[in-house]
Amino acid sequence: METIAIQARCVTETRWAGIRRFGTIFRMDIENDFRNPVLVGYNTVLAVLLILIMGSLVGGLFADQSDAFAYYTITFCVFGMLMTCTTAANSFMERDIRRPNLRIIHSPAGAFPIHFSKTLASATFGYICHVGLLLVVCPLLGMSLGESPLLFVALMAPVELASAALGTFFCCVFRCEETTNMLLSTVVELMSVLGGTFFSLDGMGDIIAGLSAASPVRWLDDAFFRLAFDGDAALVMPVFLGAVAVAALFVAGSCLLFKTEDYL
Amino acid sequence: MRTFIAVFGNNIHRLRPYVASLAVITLVTIGSIWAAVFVTGLQQTRAHVAYVTSDVASAPASSEQITITPVSTAPSRSQLMCQRYDASVTPQADGSLAVTTLRGDDFAQLVRMLVANPNAELPPSGTDRGTGVNVVGFLMMFLLNISLSCLIPFAEDREKGMLSRVAETPASLIAYLTANVMLCLLLMTPELVAIALMELAGIDLGFPLATFAGLMLVIGLLGTALSLLVHMLIRKSDDASMLGSAIVMLTSLFSGTFFSMDGTNKVVAAISNVLPQHALMDFATALQNGTAGAQIGSLVFVLVVTAAMAGAALVILRRTYLRLS
């Protein structure tokens, strides 16, 4: 009886120690992301500039100025969330981070916190940046996120996580940050162009509109558009569950493919 | 010359891990040529309209200038935002038309007129861009991005300190740099081949192959000069290439490479007028209209910007990384 109790206590203690170790790594990873001026700039300043530029280019041409800003605020927010995968690749396999990662492998923390903490940290980093972006841009351009801004913001979280998990997974597949970044950013950009992030393709005939509707970026845009402009939450649940499923799938894939010896 | 051949061959070898991603970028770039041809063909239609009625047969027919889709319920605001429809038209009991659009009263008036008479004579729309100019514009951002990635071997050399070693050897630094720049031109050949094949297949791209080759050379040199400068200003090569592609994206959008935005917004126009991409677009438009001689200043401006960026990069290179006595 006593041995079982001791064993149970040991298990709980190791679990707590594991969570504490994970917390330490996680905190370092997040700090690392925020210390990188290029990453922060890409996720905040560049996004604001893109919204302002595209909004003023298109404003008056295809829509009122305020509608153009509203459209691009949402599409570039979604674009930024999908680009979180490159943040994850960056913070996972960047040259300067490989050596510290190598030390974690040989510590009692084990291999799992290395990739999962990078995924979680990148998702959190992206989430903070993009929510901050909305907090600045929405009052500035006088746009609203619909009747339920909280739901809008809540829906962003699983998307960020799925995107970050995707980046980490492809790092595990290619074992190279540059290849992952180049490939993923090109694919995301292509999907975004098709999905109407930079300019809407819906008015270009049935074939192009069909192609556009096939882009996953478009599905995400649609969910956020409907939430913000129509007050229609029908797509929230599918997007939420889909993003969680994708995130779980890629995290599991990373666990499977991440070989510590690749770092050596 | 021997240095040039050795470095050039070596660089090609060093790009091998990037073959997959370069192939993706190249395919996207070639796709953009097709997109440019497609978009030019689209510019005829003025409006896509949803005609709200329970009786499909009562809806007027579409014409070249307007597409009319009969629907039973009015489109939502998000559908108008996405430009699924430019306007929603509801016939009223008194025979007039209620038009809902996000594009202002002038456009609503145009829609009212076109729905009443789909084949009405309209003044020609403002775009003066032919296929050739659109192809150059669509290619611009992608080609600039490709020339950013061609300096990967150079950036690696610099980051690992190989650059100062190269400088210590009797090898010519100019030959070494030229080999790196030539790599960029090599990476553009697939696009040129694609253009040649498309022209051979009888697709009208607006300009002859030689014109495209010349313009691509100018774009490539501009991109390489920018890339060199960015890599000289920022020590970490990842950060440098990310900053470079951000600059390329913002300036290309601002220059109206994808769609002309002259006269939409004064601030935008003022900024875009000093950008080299805008000057190149002006030159391409002049080429299309046969007045290239009068616009030669734009081309000279692009070359001067290129030379200035390359010159600045070389000065920083000599001062910071080579420490020549």
Side-chain angles (χ1 to χ4, degrees):
Chain A
M1 199 60 200
E2 206 174 318
T3 35
I4 293 174
I6 291 174
Q7 267 177 356
R9 220 176 64 213
C10 284
V11 168
T12 349
E13 270 175 14
T14 19
R15 187 172 299 148
W16 276 113
I19 290 173
R20 209 172 54 240
R21 284 192 207 103
F22 182 82
T24 314
I25 301 171
F26 177 69
R27 211 184 59 234
M28 299 293 274
D29 283 335
I30 274 215
E31 276 178 19
N32 228 343
D33 281 346
F34 274 105
R35 279 212 193 107
N36 187 333
V38 175
L39 276 184
V40 176
Y42 241 74
N43 282 297
T44 52
V45 179
L46 181 76
V48 173
L49 284 177
L50 277 173
I51 293 169
L52 290 179
I53 291 179
M54 290 306 294
S56 39
L57 284 187
V58 169
L61 214 61
F62 295 112
D64 284 347
Q65 190 64 72
S66 61
D67 287 330
F69 281 137
Y71 181 87
Y72 285 115
T73 303
I74 292 183
T75 58
F76 282 122
C77 199
V78 170
F79 182 65
M81 292 196 276
L82 293 174
M83 280 305 226
T84 298
C85 64
T86 60
T87 308
N90 221 311
S91 67
F92 181 35
M93 276 209 168
E94 216 220 349
R95 239 165 288 138
D96 301 347
I97 293 175
R98 288 192 171 212
R99 206 191 289 259
N101 278 349
L102 208 59
R103 293 175 64 161
I104 302 176
I105 292 170
H106 294 295
S107 76
F112 176 72
I114 295 180
H115 64 83
F116 187 64
S117 137
K118 264 72 172 178
T119 305
L120 204 60
S122 313
T124 316
F125 167 77
Y127 193 58
I128 293 174
C129 284
H130 299 135
V131 171
L133 171 86
L134 287 178
L135 284 179
V136 172
V137 166
C138 289
L140 190 74
L141 301 178
M143 72 167 275
S144 81
L145 294 177
E147 291 149 19
S148 41
L150 278 181
L151 192 58
F152 189 98
V153 172
L155 187 57
M156 287 163 66
V159 179
E160 298 271 10
L161 189 65
S163 171
L166 174 81
T168 314
F169 175 76
F170 274 94
C171 266
C172 293
V173 173
F174 292 126
R175 292 162 201 180
C176 167
E177 186 226 335
E178 282 88 355
T179 319
T180 312
N181 260 345
M182 245 188 197
L183 188 78
L184 283 184
S185 61
T186 312
V187 170
V188 169
E189 275 161 17
L190 185 69
M191 288 287 166
S192 301
V193 167
L194 273 181
T197 298
F198 296 92
F199 31 86
S200 174
L201 304 180
D202 269 9
M204 296 191 170
D206 286 340
I207 303 171
I208 300 292
L211 267 180
S212 179
S215 162
V217 176
R218 182 55 200 277
W219 308 341
L220 282 175
D221 281 349
D222 255 353
F224 287 107
F225 276 145
R226 285 217 206 168
L227 205 53
F229 302 140
D230 303 342
D232 171 5
L235 287 178
V236 169
M237 248 2 231
V239 166
F240 190 92
L241 292 178
V244 169
V246 168
L249 196 70
F250 283 125
V251 169
S254 302
C255 289
L256 218 62
L257 288 178
F258 181 65
K259 300 274 192 308
T260 50
E261 56 265 33
D262 290 346
Y263 267 130
L264 300 171
Chain B
M1 197 62 205
R2 266 173 56 202
T3 313
F4 175 81
I5 294 170
V7 175
F8 191 66
N10 192 27
N11 279 351
I12 293 177
H13 192 69
R14 283 165 70 180
L15 277 183
R16 269 173 64 185
Y18 303 99
V19 162
S21 36
L22 284 173
V24 174
I25 297 182
T26 307
L27 282 180
V28 171
T29 312
I30 292 173
S32 76
I33 303 177
W34 176 82
V37 176
F38 181 81
V39 166
T40 317
L42 272 180
Q43 283 165 354
Q44 294 229 324
T45 315
R46 295 293 184 82
H48 301 269
V49 168
Y51 194 83
V52 188
T53 172
S54 50
D55 176 19
V56 175
S58 73
S62 303
S63 73
E64 262 195 4
Q65 296 179 1
I66 188 168
T67 322
I68 297 172
T69 316
V71 291
S72 50
T73 48
S76 64
R77 192 169 138 74
S78 68
Q79 277 181 314
L80 290 178
M81 284 292 238
C82 300
Q83 293 165 40
R84 182 80 194 90
Y85 303 106
D86 296 316
S88 130
V89 177
T90 317
Q92 304 292 307
D94 59 359
S96 65
L97 296 166
V99 178
T100 317
T101 178
L102 303 175
R103 291 172 62 172
D105 291 338
D106 289 348
F107 187 75
Q109 207 52 49
L110 179 82
V111 167
R112 225 170 254 131
M113 196 173 89
L114 277 176
V115 171
N117 178 13
N119 292 312
E121 288 282 326
L122 289 177
S125 59
T127 52
D128 54 347
R129 283 192 182 181
T131 318
V133 181
N134 268 339
V135 170
V136 172
F138 276 53
L139 275 178
M140 186 101 67
M141 188 172 93
F142 298 107
L143 289 183
L144 287 174
N145 261 327
I146 288 182
S147 45
L148 282 180
S149 57
C150 78
L151 280 188
I152 292 172
F154 174 79
E156 243 176 52
D157 279 355
R158 193 211 47 175
E159 220 175 20
K160 291 183 180 160
M162 298 301 277
L163 197 55
S164 36
R165 293 192 183 188
V166 173
E168 295 296 327
T169 63
S172 145
L173 188 66
I174 294 300
Y176 168 82
L177 278 178
T178 320
N180 279 299
V181 173
M182 282 300 284
L183 192 62
C184 147
L185 302 182
L186 179 79
L187 289 181
M188 286 188 183
T189 13
E191 284 81 8
L192 202 59
V193 172
I195 289 178
L197 287 178
M198 282 168 107
E199 296 211 321
L200 273 182
I203 301 171
D204 178 26
L205 291 185
F207 290 139
L209 185 63
T211 310
F212 278 120
L215 286 172
M216 281 166 74
L217 179 69
V218 176
I219 296 175
L221 290 178
L222 179 68
T224 320
L226 171 73
S227 178
L228 258 181
L229 185 60
V230 173
H231 276 293
M232 285 300 115
L233 290 175
I234 293 179
R235 241 156 228 282
K236 225 160 131 201
S237 66
D238 285 355
D239 292 354
S241 63
M242 271 175 105
L243 180 73
S245 58
I247 292 177
V248 162
M249 186 150 101
L250 289 180
T251 51
S252 300
L253 287 176
F254 240 128
S255 310
T257 52
F258 287 101
F259 38 68
S260 169
M261 24 45 66
D262 293 337
T264 44
N265 188 320
K266 285 211 172 91
V267 185
V268 177
I271 299 175
S272 94
N273 271 330
V274 297
L275 294 172
Q277 288 106 311
H278 190 263
L280 258 180
M281 292 307 288
D282 281 349
F283 184 69
T285 315
L287 268 180
Q288 167 197 278
N289 299 338
T291 54
Q295 273 289 348
I296 199 78
S298 305
L299 187 64
V300 173
F301 173 69
V302 177
L303 293 176
V304 167
V305 171
T306 308
M309 287 196 294
L314 278 180
V315 170
I316 303 175
L317 176 69
R318 283 193 174 271
R319 286 224 180 128
T320 321
Y321 293 100
L322 302 185
R323 296 194 191 89
L324 293 178
S325 51

PDB file of all heavy atoms in Angstrom, chain A residues 216-237:
ATOM      1  N   PRO A 216      -7.918  26.696 -49.378  1.00  0.00           N
ATOM      2  CA  PRO A 216      -8.226  26.696 -47.944  1.00  0.00           C
ATOM      3  C   PRO A 216      -8.179  28.096 -47.340  1.00  0.00           C
ATOM      4  O   PRO A 216      -8.889  28.376 -46.372  1.00  0.00           O
ATOM      5  CB  PRO A 216      -7.128  25.824 -47.340  1.00  0.00           C
ATOM      6  CG  PRO A 216      -6.599  25.022 -48.465  1.00  0.00           C
ATOM      7  CD  PRO A 216      -6.798  25.819 -49.704  1.00  0.00           C
ATOM      8  N   VAL A 217      -7.338  28.952 -47.916  1.00  0.00           N
ATOM      9  CA  VAL A 217      -7.280  30.326 -47.410  1.00  0.00           C
ATOM     10  C   VAL A 217      -8.638  30.981 -47.536  1.00  0.00           C
ATOM     11  O   VAL A 217      -9.095  31.710 -46.659  1.00  0.00           O
ATOM     12  CB  VAL A 217      -6.224  31.135 -48.197  1.00  0.00           C
ATOM     13  CG1 VAL A 217      -6.225  32.574 -47.750  1.00  0.00           C
ATOM     14  CG2 VAL A 217      -4.849  30.532 -48.004  1.00  0.00           C
ATOM     15  N   ARG A 218      -9.318  30.659 -48.629  1.00  0.00           N
ATOM     16  CA  ARG A 218     -10.639  31.234 -48.873  1.00  0.00           C
ATOM     17  C   ARG A 218     -11.649  30.761 -47.831  1.00  0.00           C
ATOM     18  O   ARG A 218     -12.481  31.528 -47.368  1.00  0.00           O
ATOM     19  CB  ARG A 218     -11.083  30.852 -50.281  1.00  0.00           C
ATOM     20  CG  ARG A 218     -12.389  31.415 -50.682  1.00  0.00           C
ATOM     21  CD  ARG A 218     -12.375  32.938 -50.516  1.00  0.00           C
ATOM     22  NE  ARG A 218     -13.718  33.444 -50.456  1.00  0.00           N
ATOM     23  CZ  ARG A 218     -14.449  33.686 -51.525  1.00  0.00           C
ATOM     24  NH1 ARG A 218     -13.927  33.494 -52.714  1.00  0.00           N
ATOM     25  NH2 ARG A 218     -15.660  34.109 -51.411  1.00  0.00           N
ATOM     26  N   TRP A 219     -11.535  29.489 -47.429  1.00  0.00           N
ATOM     27  CA  TRP A 219     -12.465  28.977 -46.418  1.00  0.00           C
ATOM     28  C   TRP A 219     -12.306  29.752 -45.117  1.00  0.00           C
ATOM     29  O   TRP A 219     -13.286  30.139 -44.473  1.00  0.00           O
ATOM     30  CB  TRP A 219     -12.225  27.489 -46.161  1.00  0.00           C
ATOM     31  CG  TRP A 219     -12.207  26.641 -47.392  1.00  0.00           C
ATOM     32  CD1 TRP A 219     -12.732  26.972 -48.609  1.00  0.00           C
ATOM     33  CD2 TRP A 219     -11.633  25.344 -47.533  1.00  0.00           C
ATOM     34  NE1 TRP A 219     -12.511  25.953 -49.486  1.00  0.00           N
ATOM     35  CE2 TRP A 219     -11.845  24.942 -48.870  1.00  0.00           C
ATOM     36  CE3 TRP A 219     -10.976  24.489 -46.658  1.00  0.00           C
ATOM     37  CZ2 TRP A 219     -11.404  23.722 -49.355  1.00  0.00           C
ATOM     38  CZ3 TRP A 219     -10.530  23.271 -47.131  1.00  0.00           C
ATOM     39  CH2 TRP A 219     -10.750  22.885 -48.468  1.00  0.00           C
ATOM     40  N   LEU A 220     -11.023  29.989 -44.750  1.00  0.00           N
ATOM     41  CA  LEU A 220     -10.758  30.741 -43.526  1.00  0.00           C
ATOM     42  C   LEU A 220     -11.286  32.159 -43.653  1.00  0.00           C
ATOM     43  O   LEU A 220     -11.989  32.660 -42.774  1.00  0.00           O
ATOM     44  CB  LEU A 220      -9.249  30.784 -43.269  1.00  0.00           C
ATOM     45  CG  LEU A 220      -8.634  29.531 -42.687  1.00  0.00           C
ATOM     46  CD1 LEU A 220      -7.138  29.684 -42.603  1.00  0.00           C
ATOM     47  CD2 LEU A 220      -9.201  29.295 -41.305  1.00  0.00           C
ATOM     48  N   ASP A 221     -10.942  32.809 -44.779  1.00  0.00           N
ATOM     49  CA  ASP A 221     -11.417  34.175 -45.007  1.00  0.00           C
ATOM     50  C   ASP A 221     -12.929  34.243 -44.867  1.00  0.00           C
ATOM     51  O   ASP A 221     -13.457  35.130 -44.208  1.00  0.00           O
ATOM     52  CB  ASP A 221     -11.012  34.645 -46.413  1.00  0.00           C
ATOM     53  CG  ASP A 221      -9.555  35.079 -46.468  1.00  0.00           C
ATOM     54  OD1 ASP A 221      -8.961  35.212 -45.393  1.00  0.00           O
ATOM     55  OD2 ASP A 221      -9.033  35.268 -47.574  1.00  0.00           O
ATOM     56  N   ASP A 222     -13.597  33.267 -45.498  1.00  0.00           N
ATOM     57  CA  ASP A 222     -15.052  33.260 -45.495  1.00  0.00           C
ATOM     58  C   ASP A 222     -15.614  33.206 -44.082  1.00  0.00           C
ATOM     59  O   ASP A 222     -16.557  33.926 -43.748  1.00  0.00           O
ATOM     60  CB  ASP A 222     -15.567  32.044 -46.276  1.00  0.00           C
ATOM     61  CG  ASP A 222     -16.097  32.458 -47.635  1.00  0.00           C
ATOM     62  OD1 ASP A 222     -16.162  33.689 -47.861  1.00  0.00           O
ATOM     63  OD2 ASP A 222     -16.435  31.592 -48.445  1.00  0.00           O
ATOM     64  N   ALA A 223     -15.019  32.327 -43.257  1.00  0.00           N
ATOM     65  CA  ALA A 223     -15.501  32.190 -41.893  1.00  0.00           C
ATOM     66  C   ALA A 223     -15.394  33.524 -41.158  1.00  0.00           C
ATOM     67  O   ALA A 223     -16.339  33.958 -40.485  1.00  0.00           O
ATOM     68  CB  ALA A 223     -14.700  31.120 -41.154  1.00  0.00           C
ATOM     69  N   PHE A 224     -14.232  34.203 -41.324  1.00  0.00           N
ATOM     70  CA  PHE A 224     -14.049  35.481 -40.629  1.00  0.00           C
ATOM     71  C   PHE A 224     -14.900  36.584 -41.241  1.00  0.00           C
ATOM     72  O   PHE A 224     -15.447  37.422 -40.522  1.00  0.00           O
ATOM     73  CB  PHE A 224     -12.566  35.865 -40.637  1.00  0.00           C
ATOM     74  CG  PHE A 224     -11.738  35.030 -39.707  1.00  0.00           C
ATOM     75  CD1 PHE A 224     -10.873  34.063 -40.184  1.00  0.00           C
ATOM     76  CD2 PHE A 224     -11.838  35.208 -38.333  1.00  0.00           C
ATOM     77  CE1 PHE A 224     -10.131  33.296 -39.324  1.00  0.00           C
ATOM     78  CE2 PHE A 224     -11.084  34.438 -37.461  1.00  0.00           C
ATOM     79  CZ  PHE A 224     -10.232  33.471 -37.963  1.00  0.00           C
ATOM     80  N   PHE A 225     -15.034  36.576 -42.573  1.00  0.00           N
ATOM     81  CA  PHE A 225     -15.891  37.567 -43.236  1.00  0.00           C
ATOM     82  C   PHE A 225     -17.313  37.485 -42.738  1.00  0.00           C
ATOM     83  O   PHE A 225     -17.934  38.478 -42.383  1.00  0.00           O
ATOM     84  CB  PHE A 225     -15.926  37.310 -44.757  1.00  0.00           C
ATOM     85  CG  PHE A 225     -14.773  37.909 -45.499  1.00  0.00           C
ATOM     86  CD1 PHE A 225     -14.233  37.255 -46.595  1.00  0.00           C
ATOM     87  CD2 PHE A 225     -14.233  39.118 -45.121  1.00  0.00           C
ATOM     88  CE1 PHE A 225     -13.170  37.793 -47.288  1.00  0.00           C
ATOM     89  CE2 PHE A 225     -13.169  39.673 -45.810  1.00  0.00           C
ATOM     90  CZ  PHE A 225     -12.639  38.998 -46.897  1.00  0.00           C
ATOM     91  N   ARG A 226     -17.831  36.250 -42.734  1.00  0.00           N
ATOM     92  CA  ARG A 226     -19.227  36.067 -42.341  1.00  0.00           C
ATOM     93  C   ARG A 226     -19.439  36.524 -40.914  1.00  0.00           C
ATOM     94  O   ARG A 226     -20.460  37.119 -40.586  1.00  0.00           O
ATOM     95  CB  ARG A 226     -19.607  34.592 -42.460  1.00  0.00           C
ATOM     96  CG  ARG A 226     -19.808  34.187 -43.892  1.00  0.00           C
ATOM     97  CD  ARG A 226     -20.939  33.209 -43.934  1.00  0.00           C
ATOM     98  NE  ARG A 226     -20.842  32.322 -45.069  1.00  0.00           N
ATOM     99  CZ  ARG A 226     -21.586  31.236 -45.186  1.00  0.00           C
ATOM    100  NH1 ARG A 226     -22.411  30.891 -44.223  1.00  0.00           N
ATOM    101  NH2 ARG A 226     -21.482  30.479 -46.244  1.00  0.00           N
ATOM    102  N   LEU A 227     -18.442  36.215 -40.068  1.00  0.00           N
ATOM    103  CA  LEU A 227     -18.541  36.601 -38.667  1.00  0.00           C
ATOM    104  C   LEU A 227     -18.553  38.122 -38.537  1.00  0.00           C
ATOM    105  O   LEU A 227     -19.346  38.690 -37.789  1.00  0.00           O
ATOM    106  CB  LEU A 227     -17.335  36.009 -37.926  1.00  0.00           C
ATOM    107  CG  LEU A 227     -17.467  35.746 -36.453  1.00  0.00           C
ATOM    108  CD1 LEU A 227     -18.682  34.904 -36.193  1.00  0.00           C
ATOM    109  CD2 LEU A 227     -16.207  35.024 -35.970  1.00  0.00           C
ATOM    110  N   ALA A 228     -17.682  38.788 -39.310  1.00  0.00           N
ATOM    111  CA  ALA A 228     -17.535  40.233 -39.143  1.00  0.00           C
ATOM    112  C   ALA A 228     -18.604  41.017 -39.881  1.00  0.00           C
ATOM    113  O   ALA A 228     -19.110  42.006 -39.362  1.00  0.00           O
ATOM    114  CB  ALA A 228     -16.152  40.675 -39.628  1.00  0.00           C
ATOM    115  N   PHE A 229     -18.975  40.582 -41.085  1.00  0.00           N
ATOM    116  CA  PHE A 229     -19.862  41.421 -41.900  1.00  0.00           C
ATOM    117  C   PHE A 229     -21.330  40.999 -41.816  1.00  0.00           C
ATOM    118  O   PHE A 229     -22.211  41.821 -41.949  1.00  0.00           O
ATOM    119  CB  PHE A 229     -19.420  41.406 -43.366  1.00  0.00           C
ATOM    120  CG  PHE A 229     -18.017  41.867 -43.559  1.00  0.00           C
ATOM    121  CD1 PHE A 229     -17.185  41.231 -44.463  1.00  0.00           C
ATOM    122  CD2 PHE A 229     -17.508  42.938 -42.838  1.00  0.00           C
ATOM    123  CE1 PHE A 229     -15.879  41.663 -44.633  1.00  0.00           C
ATOM    124  CE2 PHE A 229     -16.216  43.373 -43.000  1.00  0.00           C
ATOM    125  CZ  PHE A 229     -15.395  42.731 -43.906  1.00  0.00           C
ATOM    126  N   ASP A 230     -21.583  39.680 -41.677  1.00  0.00           N
ATOM    127  CA  ASP A 230     -22.967  39.217 -41.673  1.00  0.00           C
ATOM    128  C   ASP A 230     -23.454  38.840 -40.274  1.00  0.00           C
ATOM    129  O   ASP A 230     -24.631  38.549 -40.097  1.00  0.00           O
ATOM    130  CB  ASP A 230     -23.126  37.984 -42.583  1.00  0.00           C
ATOM    131  CG  ASP A 230     -22.686  38.272 -43.995  1.00  0.00           C
ATOM    132  OD1 ASP A 230     -22.602  39.462 -44.343  1.00  0.00           O
ATOM    133  OD2 ASP A 230     -22.414  37.321 -44.748  1.00  0.00           O
ATOM    134  N   GLY A 231     -22.533  38.784 -39.290  1.00  0.00           N
ATOM    135  CA  GLY A 231     -22.904  38.311 -37.964  1.00  0.00           C
ATOM    136  C   GLY A 231     -23.362  36.866 -37.989  1.00  0.00           C
ATOM    137  O   GLY A 231     -24.217  36.451 -37.217  1.00  0.00           O
ATOM    138  N   ASP A 232     -22.750  36.075 -38.901  1.00  0.00           N
ATOM    139  CA  ASP A 232     -23.190  34.706 -39.130  1.00  0.00           C
ATOM    140  C   ASP A 232     -22.092  33.762 -38.631  1.00  0.00           C
ATOM    141  O   ASP A 232     -20.983  33.763 -39.163  1.00  0.00           O
ATOM    142  CB  ASP A 232     -23.428  34.538 -40.639  1.00  0.00           C
ATOM    143  CG  ASP A 232     -23.691  33.107 -41.032  1.00  0.00           C
ATOM    144  OD1 ASP A 232     -23.790  32.256 -40.137  1.00  0.00           O
ATOM    145  OD2 ASP A 232     -23.787  32.848 -42.245  1.00  0.00           O
ATOM    146  N   ALA A 233     -22.384  32.981 -37.586  1.00  0.00           N
ATOM    147  CA  ALA A 233     -21.358  32.144 -36.962  1.00  0.00           C
ATOM    148  C   ALA A 233     -21.403  30.702 -37.452  1.00  0.00           C
ATOM    149  O   ALA A 233     -20.841  29.809 -36.826  1.00  0.00           O
ATOM    150  CB  ALA A 233     -21.505  32.192 -35.443  1.00  0.00           C
ATOM    151  N   ALA A 234     -22.038  30.454 -38.597  1.00  0.00           N
ATOM    152  CA  ALA A 234     -22.223  29.072 -39.047  1.00  0.00           C
ATOM    153  C   ALA A 234     -20.905  28.363 -39.323  1.00  0.00           C
ATOM    154  O   ALA A 234     -20.788  27.154 -39.137  1.00  0.00           O
ATOM    155  CB  ALA A 234     -23.089  29.068 -40.313  1.00  0.00           C
ATOM    156  N   LEU A 235     -19.884  29.122 -39.769  1.00  0.00           N
ATOM    157  CA  LEU A 235     -18.631  28.468 -40.149  1.00  0.00           C
ATOM    158  C   LEU A 235     -17.634  28.391 -38.993  1.00  0.00           C
ATOM    159  O   LEU A 235     -16.541  27.866 -39.152  1.00  0.00           O
ATOM    160  CB  LEU A 235     -17.992  29.216 -41.319  1.00  0.00           C
ATOM    161  CG  LEU A 235     -18.677  29.027 -42.675  1.00  0.00           C
ATOM    162  CD1 LEU A 235     -17.985  29.866 -43.733  1.00  0.00           C
ATOM    163  CD2 LEU A 235     -18.650  27.555 -43.069  1.00  0.00           C
ATOM    164  N   VAL A 236     -18.025  28.926 -37.826  1.00  0.00           N
ATOM    165  CA  VAL A 236     -17.061  28.971 -36.725  1.00  0.00           C
ATOM    166  C   VAL A 236     -16.692  27.569 -36.256  1.00  0.00           C
ATOM    167  O   VAL A 236     -15.515  27.226 -36.148  1.00  0.00           O
ATOM    168  CB  VAL A 236     -17.617  29.805 -35.557  1.00  0.00           C
ATOM    169  CG1 VAL A 236     -16.766  29.635 -34.324  1.00  0.00           C
ATOM    170  CG2 VAL A 236     -17.670  31.276 -35.950  1.00  0.00           C
ATOM    171  N   MET A 237     -17.716  26.742 -36.017  1.00  0.00           N
ATOM    172  CA  MET A 237     -17.448  25.390 -35.500  1.00  0.00           C
ATOM    173  C   MET A 237     -16.600  24.558 -36.462  1.00  0.00           C
ATOM    174  O   MET A 237     -15.601  23.969 -36.056  1.00  0.00           O
ATOM    175  CB  MET A 237     -18.787  24.685 -35.208  1.00  0.00           C
ATOM    176  CG  MET A 237     -19.069  24.430 -33.736  1.00  0.00           C
ATOM    177  SD  MET A 237     -17.844  25.017 -32.603  1.00  0.00           S
ATOM    178  CE  MET A 237     -17.597  23.532 -31.680  1.00  0.00           C
TER     179      MET A 237
END
